Amino acid sequence: MKERVFFEEFDSLYYFHGGSENWAMQGFHFHNQYEIILFLTDGALMEVGNRTYHVRSGDLFLINNKEYHRTSGAAGKTYYRYVLMFEPELLSQMAEVFHYDFSRFFENRPDPFLHRLHLCGENLQKVEKLFEKIEQGIHSQNRDRAESTVRIKLSILELIASINEMYQFFMEREKNKPTQEFVEKPEEEFKDPVLYRDRIEQLKKYIASHVEERLDLNEISSRFYMNRYYLSHYFKKETGFSLTQYVANQKIIAAKALLKEGHSVTDVALALSYNSDSHFISVFKKMTGITPKKYAQSKESKKE
């Protein structure tokens, strides 16, 4: 990706509860800690890897220590949130003690996985109280450090166990929904035109940087956690091309560049993951009107 990605150093335990104005990170970052963010304000933008989320109040995010991410918000608006960051070893050590996989939604995630869990009502109140319990432990550390450290760790484990339970309930509910209801969900997600435009831009960047791969519709829709029907629908609505047409166009652009450099038809077909030389020749001729060999010869003659 073209955006700057940097490593950011944090203490083994980091906690924040409050608001930030004019909130915008200059680039994607990652760190050694797992991170939990609970947003209390609408409107921020959360980007995790190739995924983009438009945030609502009550959205909770789980980010592991291998995922680059960034957050940003509109100028002049204050964004309130809870942020907790801690070393992964806390969960791995306690997993052995309690015989429970605390890190299941950080590491052993189901596929597909949404980083976002929307909380409301009693669930939101419960999670906020657990954050505040951790906050109280942090504030009391100066008075009784050893005991407070134990209480903080236990409070984090309690928070994780509660979030895991909520995530599991959400996953089972989605799995058991009727097919038609599940298929229609992405349409609700894309009612905001800015949201689907952001996602389409992410898709275009992904295709440009992976043009040498096969890039079939199923693979792309799975990677972006989107229903393939709505992916195609909104991509064409935004760009005028179906996703398949756009991928084919990008591959032909890349093929022309390689042919100009003197690469053989066979090498280009292999480099861009076509099924065979004949498949590449057929697609190239259909889209340009000439064979790749004739295209290369015409460019060579112009050089002379």
Side-chain angles (χ1 to χ4, degrees):
M1 58 184 300
K2 294 181 180 179
E3 292 90 347
R4 185 168 69 96
V5 180
F6 61 95
F7 176 80
E8 193 166 3
E9 193 75 41
F10 288 94
D11 293 335
S12 58
L13 177 65
Y14 173 89
Y15 180 86
F16 174 82
H17 176 203
S20 299
E21 192 174 336
N22 300 324
W23 186 28
M25 295 181 180
Q26 297 306 309
F28 286 87
H29 74 286
F30 64 101
H31 36 71
N32 286 331
Q33 295 79 13
Y34 289 158
E35 183 171 9
I36 305 173
I37 308 176
L38 175 62
F39 287 90
L40 304 176
T41 308
D42 293 329
L45 189 72
M46 167 65 77
E47 297 172 85
V48 186
N50 290 319
R51 304 211 59 194
T52 301
Y53 301 89
H54 281 245
V55 174
R56 293 183 293 158
S57 177
D59 282 353
L60 181 140
F61 289 85
L62 298 184
I63 303 167
N64 69 32
N65 58 335
K66 296 180 285 291
E67 293 175 305
Y68 57 83
H69 56 284
R70 68 178 174 187
T71 49
S72 57
K77 185 173 181 178
T78 302
Y79 293 90
Y80 294 94
R81 63 202 184 279
Y82 291 93
V83 181
L84 175 67
M85 297 166 58
F86 55 91
E87 299 287 342
E89 287 74 21
L90 171 63
L91 301 190
S92 59
Q93 291 166 358
M94 292 300 101
E96 296 178 11
V97 174
F98 291 97
H99 304 289
Y100 174 79
D101 186 7
F102 287 98
S103 62
R104 60 182 303 189
F105 292 112
F106 286 104
E107 298 292 344
N108 306 314
R109 295 165 166 174
D111 185 22
F113 178 74
L114 291 173
H115 299 88
R116 174 173 60 189
L117 177 66
H118 183 69
L119 304 177
C120 58
E122 292 181 2
N123 285 338
L124 179 58
Q125 292 175 10
K126 180 178 181 179
V127 169
E128 283 197 77
K129 286 179 180 178
L130 290 171
F131 270 111
E132 290 165 3
K133 189 175 179 181
I134 295 168
E135 187 171 339
Q136 290 168 6
I138 292 171
H139 289 329
S140 66
Q141 268 189 315
N142 292 332
R143 297 196 303 270
D144 50 354
R145 187 170 183 83
E147 291 81 0
S148 293
T149 299
V150 173
R151 282 197 292 269
I152 291 168
K153 289 182 177 181
L154 290 174
S155 296
I156 291 173
L157 296 179
E158 186 179 4
L159 172 65
I160 297 296
S162 295
I163 291 173
N164 284 354
E165 183 180 14
M166 294 174 192
Y167 252 109
Q168 185 62 39
F169 177 80
F170 170 77
M171 298 294 294
E172 291 176 357
R173 185 184 65 184
E174 291 301 306
K175 184 178 178 180
N176 294 327
K177 276 185 178 181
T179 303
Q180 186 63 27
E181 185 178 359
F182 180 76
V183 168
E184 290 179 355
K185 189 177 179 182
E187 185 174 27
E188 298 174 5
E189 188 177 339
F190 283 94
K191 282 181 180 177
D192 178 1
V194 176
L195 175 56
Y196 76 71
R197 283 173 190 157
D198 285 343
R199 186 67 65 84
I200 296 308
E201 286 306 309
Q202 291 284 338
L203 276 165
K204 288 162 73 175
K205 288 179 183 178
Y206 178 80
I207 290 166
S209 61
H210 294 78
V211 70
E212 74 283 356
E213 298 176 12
R214 194 171 295 276
L215 292 176
D216 63 60
L217 182 56
N218 286 331
E219 187 272 332
I220 296 174
S221 60
S222 175
R223 178 170 289 276
F224 281 82
Y225 303 94
M226 295 169 63
N227 175 272
R228 55 178 290 167
Y229 168 78
Y230 286 104
L231 174 62
S232 298
H233 172 75
Y234 283 106
F235 195 92
K236 188 167 186 177
K237 184 176 180 180
E238 182 66 18
T239 67
F241 296 96
S242 71
L243 185 59
T244 302
Q245 289 171 331
Y246 185 84
V247 169
N249 287 337
Q250 293 301 302
K251 283 185 175 290
I252 293 302
I253 290 170
K256 286 180 176 180
L258 291 171
L259 290 167
K260 284 181 185 178
E261 293 172 4
H263 295 278
S264 70
V265 171
T266 299
D267 288 344
V268 174
L270 184 63
L272 296 175
S273 298
Y274 284 94
N275 294 332
S276 62
D277 291 9
S278 59
H279 178 224
F280 168 55
I281 293 167
S282 173
V283 173
F284 192 97
K285 186 174 181 180
K286 181 179 179 181
M287 296 185 67
T288 66
I290 61 173
T291 65
K293 185 176 181 179
K294 286 184 178 180
Y295 176 84
Q297 288 172 345
S298 68
K299 296 303 174 183
E300 187 62 33
S301 63
K302 286 182 180 180
K303 287 181 184 178
E304 297 172 355

